[in-house]
Amino acid sequence: MSVDQANVRRIARLARIAVRDDELPHLAQELNAMLAFVEELNAVDLGNAEPMTSVLPMQMKMRQDVVGDHAGPEIVTGNAPISEDHFFLVPKVIE
C-alpha cells in the first residue's frame, strides 16, 4: 500500500490535525516508510512461536480461593462521613 498526499490530507482531517501543504510530501514519505516496515514484519514466520506475556519465563503468583470472613457492613461503612442502613450517602449530582 502506498500513501499519497491526498491520503495524508484525509488522515490529518480525520485525526483533526492541522497539516500545512508543504508538510504533506514529508508526511507521506514517513507513512510509507512505516508501512514498509510493517510489511517486513508480516514476512516473518511465527508459526512455531509460542505466545508470551513477558520476555522472561515466569509463573503468576496465585492465592488460594477460599471463603473467609468479610468485614461486615458496620466496619465497611464505619469510616464514611454519612451512612444510612449500611449504605454510603453521597450528595446528589444529577438534577
Side-chain angles (χ1 to χ4, degrees):
M1 178 182 179
S2 179
V3 178
D4 59 0
Q5 292 182 22
N7 288 339
V8 173
R9 188 177 287 115
R10 183 170 183 265
I11 292 168
R13 184 180 54 81
L14 290 173
R16 303 204 190 289
I17 299 172
V19 176
R20 296 187 317 263
D21 287 339
D22 61 327
E23 296 174 316
L24 291 174
H26 176 70
L27 290 174
Q29 182 182 6
E30 291 287 324
L31 287 171
N32 283 322
M34 288 182 218
L35 291 173
F37 180 71
V38 170
E39 287 299 320
E40 285 182 39
L41 292 177
N42 285 335
V44 176
D45 179 28
L46 299 174
N48 296 329
E50 294 183 23
M52 58 186 203
T53 57
S54 174
V55 177
L56 302 173
M58 60 179 66
Q59 294 290 326
M60 296 281 293
K61 294 181 182 178
M62 305 288 276
R63 64 170 173 83
Q64 294 294 322
D65 189 15
V66 295
V67 177
D69 292 334
H70 62 84
E74 293 84 11
I75 295 173
V76 170
T77 60
N79 289 331
I82 306 170
S83 64
E84 181 180 301
D85 295 328
H86 307 302
F87 292 100
F88 296 102
L89 294 179
V90 295
K92 185 176 181 179
V93 293
I94 300 175
E95 296 294 325

